[in-house]
Amino acid sequence: MKYIIIFMSLFFLQANSIEPDEMLEDTRLEKIAREIGKELRCLVCQNEDIQNSNADIAKDLRKIVRKKLLNGESKKQIIDYIHSRYGDFVLFSPPIRIDTFGLWLLPIIFFFFLTFLIFRK
Amino acid sequence: MRILFLIFFCFFFFIFYEGLKKDPKEIPSNLISKKIPEFNLKGFNSSEMTNYDLYKSEIKIINFFASWCPPCQIEHEQLMHLSKKNSVFGIAKKNQLDELSSWLKRLGNPYTKIGMDLEGDVSIDWGVYGLPETFIVDEEGIIKYKHVGPIMKRDLKELESVIKNLR
């Protein structure tokens, strides 16, 4: 039982890498900062969001998100700023544009193609 | 039907095969062909370093580095070589002045000017996600090229040809 509790605590610790000194006093802004953190991909750990990553760049990005929130910038403005610096890679859901259209369309085409293959007889 | 399947197979094979050749750790810069971001940093060997230092009419190499970063030491020799014919500007990320000073005394100083990015905000503004990273900026302050990771001897040829083409 003891080990299960330790394991579970480790799991919850891992689920959020934000350090106490990073947090904003204003709970409303902190909530928005965490929402933004979950939408941005850590650039060096690839499939982790910046909220859950211990990498230096994720910490720096969390810090800049909070700094900008304190300066009165909106969630969209902050995400747009980081997107402008790091490109589509930093977003978990890439924007729909002509050059990214394939990303959204291919799974649908693939689904219909496979459905057709399975049910054609 | 078989032809359709073959077309699909070839299409996906081509996409995945091309994808295999790419380095997943290298993220293309979103700032290529854009103007350098504005910044104003405390200088290392000067009172300050700003974006205006990078508007001078010449090709510039801007290197993001730190004395605490081991790969930066690996590329240092190559930067010394590049600084013989080019202006190399440095932006030291989260580096203490005294540590940087002794590091440069030991390895040599290839930099025309160094800005101290103590908070790391300027590095984010330039889209830097690891150290070292190097940019080539043209005479009008437009970012033309980015090199991620240490500049090795084998990379010198490419960097020098980019600079030559810009001149």
Side-chain angles (χ1 to χ4, degrees):
Chain A
M1 188 63 195
K2 193 170 77 183
Y3 292 108
I4 294 173
I5 292 170
I6 292 170
F7 178 76
M8 290 304 282
S9 340
L10 284 175
F11 177 77
F12 283 114
L13 271 178
Q14 193 272 334
N16 216 335
S17 294
I18 184 162
E19 285 165 21
D21 62 324
E22 289 179 32
M23 286 186 218
L24 295 174
E25 280 178 23
D26 186 330
T27 49
R28 190 185 61 88
L29 289 182
E30 179 59 31
K31 195 174 162 248
I32 301 171
R34 286 175 189 230
E35 281 169 17
I36 297 171
K38 282 182 183 159
E39 288 185 35
L40 300 173
R41 189 200 305 263
C42 168
L43 294 128
V44 290
C45 17
Q46 308 224 347
N47 276 326
E48 238 176 345
D49 56 46
I50 63 162
Q51 188 68 23
N52 293 322
S53 169
N54 270 323
D56 277 350
I57 181 70
K59 273 185 203 169
D60 288 350
L61 287 172
R62 286 201 295 265
K63 216 169 74 186
I64 211 127
V65 164
R66 281 161 178 80
K67 208 185 249 183
K68 283 183 177 290
L69 276 172
L70 286 174
N71 284 343
E73 289 185 40
S74 70
K75 182 179 170 180
K76 190 182 176 303
Q77 279 174 318
I78 297 169
I79 292 178
D80 285 350
Y81 165 74
I82 295 174
H83 182 210
S84 73
R85 301 301 169 209
Y86 292 100
D88 291 344
F89 187 87
V90 80
L91 302 177
F92 271 112
S93 47
I96 302 174
R97 286 194 314 260
I98 294 170
D99 58 322
T100 59
F101 205 60
L103 284 173
W104 297 93
L105 205 65
L106 272 177
I108 301 166
I109 294 174
F110 204 61
F111 171 77
F112 282 112
F113 181 69
L114 282 179
T115 315
F116 173 71
L117 273 187
I118 293 164
F119 294 106
R120 76 188 155 129
K121 282 180 185 173
Chain B
M1 189 60 218
R2 276 187 185 169
I3 292 170
L4 193 66
F5 185 78
L6 198 71
I7 292 170
F8 252 79
F9 179 79
C10 291
F11 177 68
F12 282 106
F13 182 83
F14 177 76
I15 286 180
F16 292 132
Y17 183 74
E18 283 299 307
L20 278 175
K21 289 184 201 166
K22 290 179 182 167
D23 181 359
K25 285 181 184 160
E26 200 168 318
I27 302 158
S29 175
N30 218 29
L31 296 177
I32 300 291
S33 303
K34 290 186 185 153
K35 225 173 180 104
I36 50 164
E38 286 181 16
F39 66 89
N40 190 332
L41 289 173
K42 185 175 180 265
F44 167 70
N45 41 12
S46 58
S47 59
E48 60 173 19
M49 180 182 163
T50 71
N51 49 312
Y52 293 105
D53 287 307
L54 307 178
Y55 283 129
K56 286 170 192 163
S57 54
E58 56 180 348
I59 311 294
K60 290 130 306 213
I61 296 169
I62 292 96
N63 177 241
F64 284 78
F65 75 106
S67 68
W68 48 261
C69 133
C72 299
Q73 193 161 331
I74 296 171
E75 74 168 5
H76 204 81
E77 197 186 327
Q78 281 67 257
L79 283 174
M80 291 298 284
H81 170 82
L82 286 166
S83 70
K84 284 176 194 162
K85 287 183 184 169
N86 308 282
S87 295
V88 181
F89 289 83
I91 294 183
K93 189 182 172 185
K94 296 182 180 175
N95 220 156
Q96 295 300 317
L97 265 170
D98 51 343
E99 283 171 15
L100 181 60
S101 176
S102 60
W103 192 73
L104 290 172
K105 253 179 213 160
R106 188 162 52 87
L107 299 171
N109 187 353
Y111 303 107
T112 309
K113 223 172 186 185
I114 300 173
M116 303 298 288
D117 185 17
L118 299 171
E119 297 283 316
D121 293 4
V122 171
S123 304
I124 286 178
D125 231 13
W126 280 69
V128 170
Y129 59 92
L131 290 182
E133 282 188 23
T134 307
F135 295 83
I136 295 176
V137 173
D138 77 0
E139 294 159 340
E140 282 152 19
I142 308 288
I143 298 172
K144 290 289 181 183
Y145 180 85
K146 181 184 181 182
H147 180 90
V148 177
I151 300 167
M152 308 302 276
K153 278 202 174 95
R154 61 173 180 268
D155 301 318
L156 281 175
K157 212 173 173 183
E158 195 186 337
L159 276 156
E160 281 169 338
S161 93
V162 170
I163 294 167
K164 198 179 157 193
N165 289 338
L166 286 173
R167 277 198 174 122

